[in-house]
Amino acid sequence: MQLSSWFQAMPLTLTVAGLLYLPGIMIVLAAGRRKCNEVLALAPVSAVALAGVDGIVLYPMHIRWNWASYLASAIVLAALCGLARTWMAKRGTKDKSGNRAQSRSAFAIQKPESDDKGFLRSACKSLPAASGIILAAGTIAGRLIEAVPSPEQVTQNYDSVFHENIVARIAMTGQASSLHALPPVRDVYPIAFQQFAALGNEIFSQTSTSSSVTCTWLIFAALVWPISMLYMVRSLVGPLPATDFLAPALSAATAGFPFLLLDWGTLYSMFASQVLLPVFLGLVWRYCRGSMRGERESWTRLAWMAVSVLAISVCHFRVMMTALLLAFPEILVWFIGTCSRLRQHNRAAFRATAAGFVAAIAAVAIAGVAIFRKMYLSGASRPIADHLNGGPAQPTESIGSATLRYFLGQPINSSNQRLPVFWPIAIALIAAVAIIVIEHKPQGLTLLSSFLLLGFVFVSCAGSHADWAKVVTALWYKDQRRLFAAWPIAGIALISWAISAATRWLRLRNSLAVPQGGRGLERAGTVGARSQRRTAVTVAAVTLIGLLSCLVNPQMRAMQSAVSRTYAFADNYADSPMLSSDEYLLLKRLDRHVGPSEEVVSDPWNGSGFMLAVGHRTPYYAHLSSMWDYDHEYLARHFDRVDSDPQVCRILKNNDLKWYVDMGGPYVKNDPQHQVFEGLRPVLGAMHPVDRQGRAMLYRITACGL
């Protein structure tokens, strides 16, 4: 039995992509959206939101969540959107002349922009964006395939056991509620990403859960992420060829993302939310700036904004904290501008709005201070000092060093080693900051404020362990990587805005260089030739930057190496990292001996925690740590007395436990959380071997009359 190849996983990958995009596209089109970039950006947002809600709703109804129920829900939702759009269109009000006006509802169809020069010109306009997306997708897929020879390999870390077992549980039981994620280990946990991996695992039942997870990650990283970035940048600067190409291209090669959270964690759920975050920010910027311009359809973006908030939340609600952090400057400027206009037109409404806003802020502040004081400041001691002290929360450098690293876009890997600075992007960011400061326009300064606000919280994580830093960063578990994952969003937004500003300046300069009248015709030709040369140079420079960033990037090469180490199997007969190839292959064929309803006793710290994900058989200990009940804890501490302890025999018989897997020692030595499992070891004479792969052994328990 060998591991599958990427070529063998291609049908699975395409199926997951279809399940993510096709139902979402159907819903978005039914809701009246027509622009290609908007449809492709909103489709996964709609699909993820639907899947998350669908799993929660079907659980108490005892209906199995699978591909059939998911597609049925998508069809019903699309039909409801179509009916609502039709009803709202018919409900359009009449103008003064008696003619029926077009509805401005959230479901109104967007008419495609007319183009007199036809399809060819439209295709040329889309070429930069399509090229950037293809380059990004190819770069991400190529680096992942090079780093991970087989999609069956697992990320060898603590969190992966939890995530992959959730996927296996959804595929086996059809229970996909975020309120009952993986009992008894954890109930409430957002699992929308895992739901799509489970769909692929259900359809291709012969493939391993790890293949489904890796292929689903690839779709989110190589397709959803660059398209989301393109949508966000177009929301900022409009369809500009340079930014249409660079935004998706740079998204595959900036600050270690999208591989950063694959190496660290592994944080699949947070990664999926981070991938959808640019769509939310694009909708926020479109709504705020559209409403300030008095656009009648601005509130339609508010409806889609709510959908994007739901999608992000069912992937991982903590990412909404990052979303609010980045959106706060824009929302504040919008609120001040709205209040200013309201004050001019209706002072009474302005006073009521201002009073309500101040009261709401005061109530939230008072409640927050009270809760914080009760939790952390009561008594003579300072309990906050006893919180947020784990490995991810520890500072890695001084405040000055963290600040410099933030401005250079320099990530660290899971071993806290700095990756190389990619100077083209670092210089581009510094130049962008200078251009925005010189231009001094509110929109650019708002983006810069978002970048600096994110930087402040990041530096507080990475550069200090003081109490104030814990207060500032508690919503992100004081984990600098969760914040640094948003660097590409804020950084590429700044670079794109600077490119837009430079483009506007060049156009203005060209227009001023052409004198009026007949004498200016010759000068106009000269200016036009210079403009064409500048355009050619710009296209060449943008293409070169994009290609260098994706193909010749030492930072991403180092990130790829870190991912390769995270996925690498342990040497056979070694305890660390979790799984060796021998152990993986033994788990994969457990179904030859262990029945589907039987559970297996094992020490989850030796890699057998992946049993449900790899072998589709249920381990008695579903995770590396939990609030174990009496039977679980007693058996873990005293299993080595199976041939003499009647209490151990009682637990084995009551739970019908007949199988034991031995895969060596724990992957982390002397960890306090592992102490409860010290009694889990083979007992000669109390069991006999049934299957073996290297040192990995499957035993049938014969003691206690089993």
Side-chain angles (χ1 to χ4, degrees), residues 549-565:
S549 300
C550 290
L551 304 179
V552 189
N553 189 328
Q555 184 181 99
M556 296 307 297
R557 175 62 62 177
M559 192 77 253
Q560 177 183 330
S561 298
V563 169
S564 181
R565 290 191 296 271

Side-chain angles (χ1 to χ4, degrees), residues 152 200-209 211 588 591 616:
E152 283 198 70
N201 193 226
E202 180 193 11
I203 294 173
F204 295 89
S205 57
Q206 299 304 312
T207 62
S208 67
T209 298
S211 291
K588 194 173 179 180
D591 58 351
H616 290 182

Side-chain angles (χ1 to χ4, degrees), residues 37 124-137 139 226-227 229-231 233-234 237-254 492 495-496 499 538-551:
N37 175 240
C124 290
K125 285 183 177 180
S126 303
L127 183 61
S131 301
I133 292 171
I134 292 172
L135 178 60
T139 299
I227 293 173
M229 288 297 294
L230 175 64
Y231 179 80
V233 168
R234 278 196 170 185
V237 302
L240 195 65
T243 55
D244 279 359
F245 175 76
L246 278 181
L250 294 184
S251 70
T254 302
I492 292 174
I495 294 171
S496 300
I499 292 174
T538 302
V539 169
V542 166
T543 304
L544 181 62
I545 291 173
L547 290 174
L548 285 176
S549 300
C550 290
L551 304 179

Side-chain angles (χ1 to χ4, degrees), residues 4 95-96 155 165 210 255 273 302 399 440 564:
S4 62
D95 57 23
K96 292 183 179 180
T155 48
N165 283 339
S210 50
S273 286
L302 191 61
I399 289 179
H440 208 70
S564 181

